[in-house]
Structure formats: C-alpha cells, structure tokens
Amino acid sequence: MTLKTIRSRRWSSIPAVALALGLILFYSGCTTIKDTARGTVRAVSDTSRKVTGTFTAAGSDVRNKIALIGVENQPAVNSSLFPAVFQKTLAANLKTDCPECIVDAAVGEVLKSPPRLASGPIDGYALGLIGRPRGLNYFVVGTLSDSRLTDEKTGFWLWKDTRYKIRAVLRVEVIDSATGTKALDETLSGETVIDELRHQELQDAGLLPFAEIEPILNQLLPEAGYRICSAIRSQPWQGFIVGTEDRRITISSGSAVGLSPGRMLEVYGGGRVVESSDGRRFVRPGDRLGEARISSVSLDQAEAVLSQPIQTNPGGTVRLK
C-alpha cells in the first residue's frame, strides 16, 4: 500500500466522522436551543406583563373580589394538599401581578368544592347565589385533572435513549357571579424530567406523591394567574344590591375593594334567569334604572342614595359611572 493510498483513506474518513459529530451536537443541542428560546420568550412576556399590569377595567381603581377553590380529580398520595397549595400560591401570584383583584381567602377555606349539576359541570348559577351577598365578583376553580408518569423515545441510531417524565394537567375556570357564566376555561399542562430509577420507584409505588407534582404546579400557576387576570381585567366592575329602603340601597362591597363616599353608580335591575337545554341556568343582565351616589362605606358594605325614586329590589347590580 502506497503512502498516497494511506493518506487518501485517512482524509476520506474525516467527513464521516465530522458528520457523525455534527449530528450528535445538532440533536443534543436542539433541546438547549429550544429551552433557551422558550426562556427568552417567557422572560420578555413576564416583563411585559409587569409593565402593563395596571388598572384598565373601566379605568377604575376599584378591585374585583375573587375566591379560589382547588379541586383534586386525579388521585394522588396526599392529594388533599392540592387545594391549599393552589390557593396559597395563586393568591401570592395575583397579589404581585394582578392589582385588579383582591382574594377572599375565607370562602376558599369554607367552600371545599363548587356546586355541580347532576351532569357534572360546575353550577355557575348556584355559585353566583353564594358570591353576590359576599361581594364576590368571580370564583376561580382550579382542578388538578391529571397527573401521571410518562416516557418518550429520543435520539436516533446509536444515540437512542428514553426520557422519563412526570406530567400534570391543571384546568382553570373563572365563574362570573353576576351571570353564572364562564369568563375563562383553559387547560395548562407541564412536565418535569426524572431519572430511570426514580421513574421505576414511582411506578412500583402506584399513586404519585403530591411532592412530585407540586414543582410542576409551581411552573403552571404563574401562567394561570396571568390568564385569570387578563380575563377579569377586560370586564367592568360590578357591585350587588343586597338591600333597599326608600331611596337608599345597600351594596355588598365597601372600602376593601376601593369604594368611597361620593362616587356615582349606575343602577341596574336584577335581570332574568334563563335556562339552557342541558339544565344550566344563567342570569341575563337587567336594564339600567338610574343612578345613585355612595353616602357611606364600611369594609364590606356601602350605602348609596338614589338620584330619583325608582323601583329597586335586592338582586340588582351597580356599576361605576
């Protein structure tokens, strides 16, 4: 074999080696590139949210009062921890990133699960009957609807591998107390990667410990908070009439949400209850009846005087003028 032949074979093998190395770097780098891109997009998005997170609903500084309810659909070890984690973590996120809302923690602690129709969906009308006397504008229901172990094949040829994960799915529903309708209904999912040994241990144990699911929820809840706030921000604030006497009305909202004496309100009738073909009930908004000026406020109530004599009854609503 000549020196020329040896050199030729040596150099001809270099492109093949280079190609193999390039493919390895490409496939191993794809995840890094995607993760970096996602991280950059999320960072820009989070910055934009904080910059634009101002009061925009009706141009008002009056806040919406909401209640948080956590529901566990998917069995898990210590699954009873989910409602408390959902309420505490989401409340902290909303306090920081959504000044339009104020969370009524007491309702979430007392109301462990929302009322439901016989067919299964949440009964928004029944929730409204609970919320309006307390001045609650919205109920936020978070459901841990699924949590499981997964595995997926990665790579190709000599570099085939299996990636083991834990996956969790969170459904978020926002119910409007005024109408019983949904202002938001979205599902978020997330994953975390674990090693093969841990995957086997969890598989053998059966139910997933909640401690394995919680890190995924901590990733999903900030996004859920943003979507909740975006949905509520676009709606005008409403108060609920819970008492009437002569030309005075009592509203189940007060200084806690930002009401103060002297503010003018538009007064609306109680509306009409309508029922859909599947048995769900909703409240159709009533007509505008007149105006009222707030005369006094306490923490959770306000008194207002009507500008002119009009027929009002408990069950009506008010909006800022």
Side-chain angles (χ1 to χ4, degrees), residues 53-124:
T54 56
F55 293 112
T56 57
S60 164
D61 58 351
V62 175
R63 297 186 288 177
N64 285 292
K65 184 185 287 189
I66 66 176
L68 308 178
I69 304 173
V71 180
E72 173 77 42
N73 267 6
Q74 183 72 18
V77 178
N78 295 327
S79 61
S80 59
L81 297 175
F82 171 73
V85 170
F86 174 77
Q87 293 167 18
K88 182 178 179 179
T89 305
L90 187 55
N93 289 332
L94 291 173
K95 183 177 181 179
T96 301
D97 299 329
C98 190
E100 293 90 344
C101 298
I102 179 172
V103 176
D104 186 336
V107 175
E109 292 175 0
V110 174
L111 190 61
K112 300 298 183 182
S113 182
R116 295 183 181 274
L117 301 171
S119 55
I122 294 173
D123 189 344

Side-chain angles (χ1 to χ4, degrees), residues 20-32 154-156 159 163:
L21 289 173
L23 288 172
I24 293 172
L25 291 173
F26 173 77
Y27 281 99
S28 64
C30 279
T31 302
T32 302
T154 61
F156 76 107
W159 300 279
R163 182 174 294 174

Side-chain angles (χ1 to χ4, degrees), residues 38-49:
R38 289 172 182 167
T40 302
V41 170
R42 176 54 61 89
V44 172
S45 177
D46 289 345
T47 301
S48 299
R49 292 173 188 177

